Amino acid sequence: MKDRPTVVTGTVGVDAHVIGTKILSRALREAGFNVVELGAQTPPEEFIKAAQETDADAILMSSLYGMAELDLQGFKEKCIEAGLEDVILYIGGILGISRHDFKEDEEKFKKLGFDRVYPPDVDIQAAIEDLRRDLKARGKL
Amino acid sequence: MGEVRVFIDFGSTFTKVVVFDLSKEELLARVQVPSTVDRDITIGLEEAWRLVRAEVGLGEEELRQAVACSSAAGGLRVACVGLVPEYTTEAARLAALGAGAKIVGVYSYELSEAEAAEVEELVPDIVLLTGGTDGGNRKVILHNARLLARTGDRIKNIVVAGNKAAHDEVRQILGGAGKNVILTRNVMPEFGRLEVEPCNRTIRELFLSRITEAKGIARVRSLIRGVVMPTPAAVLEAARLLAEGAGDCPGLGELLVVDVGGATTDVYSVARGLPTNPAVVTVGLAEPYVKRTVEGDLGMVHNLETLREIVGAGEEPEGFAEALGDLAARSGIPRTEREVETQIMLARAAVKTAVDRHAGRLEARVSPQGEFLLQRGKDLTGVGWVVGTGGPVAFSAAPRRVLEGALFRPEEPMLLKPKAPRFLVDHHYIMFALGLLAQAEPLKAARLMRKYLVPI
């Protein structure tokens, strides 16, 4: 249990969109989290290395270019290999390429091992509340 | 006699003595004799001093005030233990290199019993223990401290530069086991941010206070004022001074120093290394402004075969193999014309390969938004100067040809080496001495450097 949980944020893959993750990082900081901000174009493995060194409780990824599904194949398995089986995984953004149903995206990423999946127009405060609940449920807050 | 200062380098191949007259800002003498560290380090020093006195009339008092650096007796041997290879382990490596150390082992994550035994077998002068950002992972550094605490007395000195939240506990574990534990600032206090200077300083202080004692180097203590730093640290200080200047002596700006030696080739960059192309994105750990790399397989006395392979069978001129053998037999000092040519080719190969490994590189990535470039390491394409030191460069018949090995090659556009630098050579081979002088007299050291480094 910690006073200030540590979370890693960033835009995954070769996606250059940085605004979403910046807004999220700022909101998390204001909400009292210790934020390790990796920024845009972060390879999936960098999230793992950062979480290892900083003993992170959660990884919150953004992706807006529609390719996250490809970037994140095997990501949960890599986390388990790296000793991060307890780290909470969230992702949000534009998660598919063509017109599609968000429910489908949610299902796909949950299968990939993400605990929660958000559309691009998510209310950040609601997501932070989810995170607090999930951390409490795992005895990390 | 004016204000005379004497500097000594106890190298693995040669013992060198350099004498300056500070009031006239002149080099008075420079001699070198084969190193005698295997037998008794003082024999070589006394021989060199005899030669100095044959050139300039100095008394014993000047020798007693002499300051030395050393890379003899294996140099300053450091084993690094960190958490993630690319982060705190790499940060530890960069910090140790910046302190002038020779890295003898690198370990990541939780040490196994076998690895801990291996560390002990390396008999490092210092184990540098890192891991975790401040407030980050504690588990791994504590585990590694417990294993290191169980090692025998071949592990004496442990510098701890990891997660500060674990420092007190680490000190208890290691101190309780009788180790000399020195706590210093975390080499990576926040994720991705390096802070190697405090760790650098701690390692150098430890070298000064305890390490030289254990190395047979202590014998010279009664003859001179002291062995104050490892030789690479002295060259690094000279490189920094040359780039930044001192007082009213302006610096040259960003530069690269290549030091080709008998046992290693060292490269120092004093440069920020940010992308020169604004479209490039940097990844990985940001590198230190003053960065040193050392190539233990590129020494001009000990690794002639490796260098020969790099030169390549197709490029070998007639009589190359024979000249190579003769060079090896004479500590790399050439006599015939053929040996001179062979030495130039080998030294150029050493410079090329060492700078290839030091420089940053680009990687192309394809994205839905088009292709873009990632940069790992430093972009040195805009660096203004390349400086050569070390015997095979300083005394080369064609130092420019040797140093051109450091240049960018259009056929390897992803390798970020200097594109249009000017060249300087440490013609008298005195940079280490100026790095030592810089500790007390930075302005005079800077002026002497500008006076004695020769444009080529």
Side-chain angles (χ1 to χ4, degrees):
Chain A
M1 218 158 69
K2 299 183 196 168
D3 309 340
R4 272 166 65 98
T6 298
V7 297
V8 178
T9 64
T11 310
V12 67
V14 291
D15 186 352
H17 300 97
V18 77
I19 300 299
T21 187
K22 275 198 170 164
I23 294 171
L24 174 65
S25 301
R26 192 172 157 179
L28 283 161
R29 238 176 237 123
E30 281 167 1
F33 288 84
N34 178 27
V35 183
V36 178
E37 202 174 341
L38 301 180
Q41 291 174 331
T42 304
E45 294 74 21
E46 288 294 300
F47 286 90
I48 291 175
K49 290 169 190 166
Q52 283 182 311
E53 289 282 9
T54 60
D55 204 16
D57 302 296
I59 295 174
L60 277 64
M61 287 180 178
S62 303
S63 179
L64 284 141
Y65 74 156
M67 309 292 281
E69 193 192 345
L70 284 177
D71 293 328
L72 293 169
Q73 291 298 318
F75 184 73
K76 178 69 182 180
E77 289 74 12
K78 285 181 197 163
C79 283
I80 293 168
E81 286 286 359
L84 302 175
E85 58 276 10
D86 286 341
V87 170
I88 294 168
L89 301 181
Y90 285 11
I91 189 165
I94 301 170
L95 300 174
I97 297 174
S98 49
R99 275 165 49 94
H100 59 280
D101 181 12
F102 174 70
K103 279 279 158 221
E104 277 174 34
D105 288 339
E106 190 176 16
E107 207 172 301
K108 256 189 240 162
F109 282 88
K110 285 210 160 161
K111 255 190 205 151
L112 282 173
F114 284 80
D115 297 286
R116 289 182 192 268
V117 184
Y118 297 97
D121 54 357
V122 61
D123 172 8
I124 284 183
Q125 293 310 327
I128 291 176
E129 277 318 305
D130 289 342
L131 180 59
R132 283 217 174 91
R133 254 198 305 280
D134 288 351
L135 286 167
K136 269 188 197 138
R138 297 197 194 187
K140 292 183 174 195
L141 192 71
Chain B
M1 194 60 50
E3 198 186 340
V4 170
R5 291 290 168 86
V6 179
F7 298 99
I8 304 159
D9 171 32
F10 297 107
S12 51
T13 321
F14 294 104
T15 294
K16 303 134 201 144
V17 178
V18 175
V19 184
F20 295 114
D21 180 336
L22 287 195
S23 51
K24 291 189 196 146
E25 293 182 8
E26 260 177 23
L27 172 66
L28 287 181
R30 195 251 174 231
V31 304
Q32 67 179 42
V33 299
S35 236
T36 58
V37 72
D38 302 339
R39 292 176 285 151
D40 176 349
I41 195 166
T42 59
I43 299 172
L45 177 60
E46 275 162 6
E47 170 66 8
W49 189 241
R50 205 177 50 76
L51 294 176
V52 168
R53 290 180 70 168
E55 285 183 41
V56 284
L58 296 179
E60 290 305 314
E61 183 50 30
E62 277 88 359
L63 182 61
R64 267 195 296 277
Q65 292 304 317
V67 171
C69 55
S70 167
S71 57
L76 170 60
R77 297 164 48 83
V78 175
C80 298
V81 179
L83 172 48
V84 178
E86 295 88 343
Y87 289 97
T88 47
T89 308
E90 178 63 8
R93 235 175 49 79
L94 289 166
L97 285 169
K102 175 178 177 180
I103 310 284
V104 292
V106 178
Y107 301 86
S108 292
Y109 305 115
E110 283 158 312
L111 288 170
S112 66
E113 299 269 354
E115 282 177 320
E118 200 179 297
V119 176
E120 193 177 350
E121 241 139 72
L122 292 167
V123 199
D125 298 313
I126 297 172
V127 175
L128 175 53
L129 178 61
T130 65
T133 51
D134 283 346
N137 186 295
R138 299 171 78 235
K139 201 174 117 218
V140 174
I141 194 170
L142 289 173
H143 168 94
N144 290 343
R146 276 182 217 111
L147 256 69
L148 291 169
R150 295 213 295 266
T151 56
D153 63 3
R154 280 181 290 179
I155 306 283
K156 289 194 177 69
N157 302 305
I158 302 180
V159 171
V160 182
N163 180 358
K164 77 176 164 72
H167 274 192
D168 291 339
E169 209 170 324
V170 168
R171 174 166 42 198
Q172 277 172 12
I173 293 167
L174 291 169
K179 305 293 184 194
N180 178 35
V181 188
I182 297 120
L183 303 176
T184 186
R185 289 284 292 275
N186 195 345
V187 285
M188 202 180 90
E190 284 169 40
F191 187 76
R193 183 165 70 80
L194 266 186
E195 200 170 313
V196 295
E197 294 280 334
C199 181
N200 262 204
R201 273 200 302 278
T202 304
I203 293 174
R204 286 193 200 177
E205 280 160 18
L206 194 55
F207 174 81
L208 186 62
S209 65
R210 299 184 72 133
I211 314 286
T212 53
E213 202 67 48
K215 282 187 170 284
I217 295 165
R219 282 169 186 273
V220 299
R221 279 235 175 133
S222 55
L223 300 177
I224 65 172
R225 208 165 96 199
V227 181
V228 299
M229 58 176 96
T231 308
V235 179
L236 184 143
E237 290 306 325
R240 189 201 304 265
L241 184 70
L242 185 60
E244 293 180 347
D248 61 7
C249 180
L252 294 177
E254 297 198 339
L255 54 81
L256 199 66
V257 174
V258 190
D259 181 352
V260 184
T264 63
T265 292
D266 292 32
V267 181
Y268 307 81
S269 56
V270 188
R272 295 211 297 149
L274 300 175
T276 43
N277 173 352
V280 167
V281 179
T282 55
V283 288
L285 196 59
E287 296 196 335
Y289 164 65
V290 184
K291 179 190 174 191
R292 168 179 173 239
T293 50
V294 53
E295 309 304 336
D297 61 339
L298 301 176
M300 287 290 291
V301 176
H302 301 288
N303 314 106
L304 286 175
E305 279 308 315
T306 315
L307 291 172
R308 184 184 178 182
E309 272 168 40
I310 295 168
V311 169
E315 302 290 314
E316 285 187 13
E318 204 189 322
F320 188 76
E322 198 191 335
L324 200 76
D326 293 341
L327 264 180
R330 247 183 279 110
S331 298
I333 295 178
R335 278 193 203 155
T336 66
E337 221 167 283
R338 198 179 270 170
E339 284 168 33
V340 168
E341 179 58 26
T342 302
Q343 199 208 28
I344 292 168
M345 293 183 73
L346 294 172
R348 186 182 162 102
V351 170
K352 175 190 170 292
T353 309
V355 179
D356 280 359
R357 294 178 192 166
H358 184 97
R361 49 188 74 222
L362 296 175
E363 287 165 37
R365 289 285 167 84
V366 181
S367 84
Q369 297 136 354
E371 194 185 74
F372 71 99
L373 295 168
L374 291 180
Q375 175 184 325
R376 278 179 207 280
K378 284 178 167 183
D379 181 344
L380 301 172
T381 54
V383 161
W385 296 87
V386 171
V387 186
T389 185
V393 186
F395 306 140
S396 173
R400 190 172 169 116
R401 264 178 67 201
V402 172
L403 288 180
E404 278 172 354
L407 287 177
F408 178 86
R409 288 184 304 279
E411 61 272 27
E412 285 182 88
M414 307 301 248
L415 210 46
L416 302 169
K417 296 167 75 175
K419 280 185 170 165
R422 282 175 282 176
F423 294 96
L424 283 177
V425 65
D426 178 15
H427 196 56
H428 301 277
Y429 194 175
I430 55 171
M431 270 187 92
F432 75 85
L434 293 167
L436 289 170
L437 174 63
Q439 304 311 297
E441 300 269 4
L443 177 60
K444 295 212 162 161
R447 287 216 195 107
L448 280 160
M449 196 133 42
R450 297 297 287 268
K451 181 168 171 182
Y452 285 103
L453 297 187
V454 186
I456 47 170

